[in-house]
Amino acid sequence: IMSLLDRAGIDTRGKHAVILGRSSIVGTPMALLLRRNGAPGNCTVTICHSRTQNLEEHTRRADILVAAIGRAHFVTEDMVKDGAVVIDVGINRIPTEDGKTKLVGDVAFDECVDHVGSITPVPGGVGPMTIACLLANTLTAAHRSHGLDDPEV
């Protein structure tokens, strides 16, 4: 997610980031990374979860909203500030009319896409970027283990 923000040229300095989800895999690390002194970073961070009171008030204040709550289409248009950057980390399978399933995120993408500044799709957003970063880190580790300079990735 940090690489995605960086490569997309999203200025995070001084922004209010709301992390929706408190897991030790996504929510908590994202909060730490977004508040660090660096770029991307330097955000004011609020961590929310499914039992946060007045949840919509928090999410509507977010300049950057990271949705990692684990509920399909949980974040709706009325929960998102106009022009916000929305990062959807959710991976949910929902049934389709033909009896199969479809992969969707935690954000109701079709509802939100027209009034946000940027939004990641599911599938095709954070997942592929995660794989790309894992491969880049593997290549860097291999170079370092052989005493080579870090590759340009």
Side-chain angles (χ1 to χ4, degrees):
I1 295 168
M2 298 301 281
S3 292
L4 194 146
L5 290 168
D6 187 40
R7 291 174 186 263
I10 306 292
D11 184 10
T12 59
R13 295 173 297 174
K15 301 291 196 249
H16 183 198
V18 173
I19 313 299
L20 188 50
R22 57 185 166 186
S23 73
S24 58
I25 295 173
V26 177
T28 301
M30 278 309 308
L32 294 171
L33 288 167
L34 285 171
R35 71 183 184 102
R36 73 179 179 176
N37 185 15
N42 287 309
C43 292
T44 299
V45 177
T46 302
I47 299 176
C48 297
H49 47 82
S50 61
R51 290 184 176 84
T52 297
Q53 293 184 10
N54 304 314
L55 181 62
E56 294 83 6
E57 289 179 23
H58 295 285
T59 60
R60 277 193 298 266
R61 286 195 302 257
D63 299 307
I64 300 167
L65 177 63
V66 179
I69 200 158
R71 293 188 187 171
H73 297 151
F74 182 83
V75 177
T76 55
E77 179 182 8
D78 61 318
M79 295 174 69
V80 181
K81 175 180 172 180
D82 284 345
V85 172
V86 179
I87 309 293
D88 191 347
V89 187
I91 302 171
N92 307 284
R93 290 206 178 272
I94 62 170
T96 59
E97 291 179 11
D98 61 3
K100 298 181 180 180
T101 60
K102 150 175 139 169
L103 196 62
V104 298
D106 290 351
V107 177
F109 184 90
D110 292 339
E111 280 185 36
C112 298
V113 69
D114 290 333
H115 80 273
V116 298
S118 301
I119 187 169
T120 59
V122 175
V126 173
M129 191 66 173
T130 301
I131 294 166
C133 289
L134 286 169
L135 290 172
N137 288 342
T138 301
L139 183 60
T140 298
H143 274 247
R144 288 180 182 175
S145 73
H146 289 89
L148 303 172
D149 291 336
D150 286 352
E152 291 196 28
V153 291

